[in-house]
Amino acid sequence: MARPTNLPVDPARIADVIDGLAALTEPGRPYTRRAFTALFPAGRAFLAGKFKAAGLETRIDAAGNLVARRPGRKPGLGTIMLGSHSDTVPDGGRYDGIAGVAVALEVARALADQGIELDHDLEVVDFLAEEVSIFGVSCIGSRGMAGVLPQEWLSRQSGELTLEQGILDAGGEPARIAAEARRDIAAFLELHIEQGPVLETERRDIGVVTAIAGITRIEIVVEGRADHAGTTPMGNRADALAAAARLVTGIEALAKSLCEGPSHFTATVGEFSIEPNAANVVPSRARLLIDARAEDRMAMDLFAASVDRLAEQIARETGTVIAAPRRISDNMPTPGDPLVLDVLDAACEAAGASYRRMASGAGHDTAFMAKVTRAAMIFVPCLGGRSHAPEEFAATDDIALGAAVLLHAVIQLDEKLHKMIQEDV
């Protein structure tokens, strides 16, 4: 892909932040810096130093998010916010989340370099614990900022540590999370590596994210009958595993059919177990868990209804008992804000970046910020679509072009949002 030259951002500064955080990893485990573990505060201290060196007012909010502020010319007008997260999964990558924080900081630096004052305040945020944490939950900081962090989560424990204490240790104030929920954010933007192969395959610079897919998890339990594997005739069995295998292939076929439609859809049987799990016993019970993700809620509802019918059919044909599939979690998709999406399209053109609109199959902090403001994301390519692995890689030039897109978008949003307020008045 031909890259524009003379970008209004500094790729070296972006790489410096990414490389600096990458160096802070558990010995022998690149790249591991999980929230609420010993190395996470070192990463936070590194970022806070970079934020302050850029002239930004830096603090930790009640939910434990690291927030850096550049005041705007019009106090009280609201905040344009950029950010992502610096925590990693175990043995994870050096770009997931981190690239978004580095780019957010670079936008603030580039505005200062060019002497551009925004009407709105600008904030750069490193959200606490976007990845699934040691407490078994994710997006803790963005849920807290949006005012939707469940109060009961604070008592979750990992060993002797509670989430409440973990937030306190990160510099937050758990008792004030609800009171400090943000309602002043005019718009939120997040850059992220794609974590998939589409942009690389199509040789596009930027993905403008139309929606973050809703995630539904469906549990199915198949009850058969345990019998001797060597003496029970094949026609006289109620084999729970054989029935479950048909479910798995049927679920795959349904997902392949739905993914051919106009919107993003995936379904995966990610958990599977059988009982008694003995070589010489016909399986008596099988349990499977489906992870289904859809950009369009109607597609998810169609999938779930089709799975119900499939389970009924297989139970009849195999002599097993399959209880009605149970949705154990069910999250709606989060569409990108139409105005912000249009601004991002225009920003890609202004930066000379090729782009396409696409959905995100993974969850992100943006899904929670969208509950309190206009929000959208952009993706940049990553090598082979690899993520959550040490091999995760995104080229600095690709990330810098994404930073240029966000810079153009912030300047356009600052003007458009202020104009909208004036017109309303």
Side-chain angles (χ1 to χ4, degrees):
M1 292 177 280
R3 294 286 180 272
T5 57
N6 300 318
L7 292 176
V9 295
D10 186 340
R13 290 192 302 211
I14 296 171
D16 175 63
V17 174
I18 294 171
D19 292 344
L21 286 171
L24 300 170
T25 183
E26 292 182 14
R29 298 188 71 189
Y31 296 92
T32 304
R33 193 180 51 261
R34 301 187 74 190
F36 311 112
T37 65
L39 271 176
F40 185 71
R44 273 287 176 81
F46 171 82
L47 283 175
K50 294 293 185 182
F51 291 172
K52 291 173 183 176
L56 303 176
E57 302 168 3
T58 304
R59 65 186 178 92
I60 303 289
D61 72 6
N65 302 303
L66 177 62
V67 182
R69 178 174 172 270
R70 182 177 190 259
R73 293 183 300 185
K74 306 285 185 181
L77 191 61
T79 300
I80 295 175
M81 183 178 286
L82 309 175
S84 195
H85 61 97
S86 66
D87 65 314
T88 73
V89 298
D91 303 306
R94 59 188 293 187
Y95 299 92
D96 175 359
I98 295 153
V101 177
V103 161
L105 172 59
E106 181 55 27
V107 169
R109 286 165 155 172
L111 289 168
D113 289 347
Q114 296 166 43
I116 298 173
E117 289 188 82
L118 302 176
D119 291 334
H120 295 78
D121 294 343
L122 179 75
E123 287 187 351
V124 173
V125 180
D126 171 31
F127 289 107
L128 179 65
E130 189 270 354
E131 303 290 3
V132 176
S133 67
I134 59 174
F135 299 103
V137 290
S138 62
C139 294
I140 290 168
S142 53
R143 291 177 198 261
M145 186 179 283
V148 295
L149 182 73
Q151 178 68 25
E152 61 271 20
W153 280 17
L154 295 177
S155 61
R156 281 178 168 260
Q157 285 189 261
S158 175
E160 297 298 314
L161 183 68
T162 65
L163 176 56
E164 181 176 24
Q165 186 60 49
I167 294 173
L168 282 167
D169 292 346
E173 296 182 73
R176 293 194 52 77
I177 289 175
E180 290 194 13
R182 299 287 295 271
R183 296 295 181 266
D184 65 311
I185 306 170
F188 175 79
L189 294 171
E190 180 177 8
L191 175 144
H192 207 281
I193 61 171
E194 181 193 348
Q195 300 180 285
V198 174
L199 294 175
E200 182 183 62
T201 300
E202 295 187 0
R203 300 180 65 80
R204 302 290 184 97
D205 298 317
I206 301 291
V208 176
V209 179
T210 54
I212 298 172
I215 305 174
T216 299
R217 293 198 168 102
I218 303 172
E219 180 187 60
I220 306 178
V221 176
V222 183
E223 300 287 355
R225 187 183 68 242
D227 282 305
H228 195 294
T231 61
T232 307
M234 298 302 295
N236 290 355
R237 301 181 177 205
D239 186 329
L241 176 55
R246 289 181 57 182
L247 279 168
V248 172
T249 56
I251 288 161
E252 181 186 40
L254 286 170
K256 285 182 174 179
S257 175
L258 286 167
C259 81
E260 293 174 355
S263 63
H264 179 82
F265 188 90
T266 63
T268 306
V269 176
E271 290 186 16
F272 195 101
S273 62
I274 64 168
E275 297 175 12
N277 199 29
N280 61 346
V281 182
V282 175
S284 61
R285 188 176 190 271
R287 174 190 174 273
L288 55 92
L289 186 64
I290 307 166
D291 176 301
R293 306 190 181 210
E295 176 186 5
D296 179 358
R297 183 63 184 188
M298 289 181 63
M300 182 65 77
D301 290 340
L302 175 59
F303 173 76
S306 299
V307 169
D308 289 348
R309 290 193 296 271
L310 179 66
E312 292 172 0
Q313 176 189 344
I314 291 173
R316 284 195 309 269
E317 294 176 356
T318 60
T320 58
V321 176
I322 304 178
R326 183 171 70 95
R327 297 193 196 192
I328 62 173
S329 65
D330 194 18
N331 297 306
M332 301 292 285
T334 303
D337 179 80
L339 181 146
V340 180
L341 292 174
D342 287 344
V343 166
L344 287 170
D345 286 348
C348 287
E349 292 168 4
S354 61
Y355 67 97
R356 60 160 289 169
R357 288 196 170 193
M358 62 190 299
S360 172
H364 297 283
D365 289 310
T366 298
F368 295 96
M369 300 314 298
K371 296 181 182 296
V372 293
T373 189
R374 301 176 181 272
M377 299 182 71
I378 63 170
F379 285 158
V380 296
C382 59
L383 183 65
R386 297 292 305 282
S387 185
H388 285 190
E391 295 79 16
E392 179 181 278
F393 178 80
T396 298
D397 286 350
D398 290 341
I399 299 170
L401 183 53
V405 170
L406 283 197
L407 176 63
H408 285 292
V410 165
I411 294 169
Q412 290 183 45
L413 278 171
D414 183 55
E415 180 180 344
K416 283 181 177 290
L417 294 173
H418 192 185
K419 185 177 180 181
M420 287 169 61
I421 291 172
Q422 291 174 323
E423 289 174 348
D424 288 343
V425 173

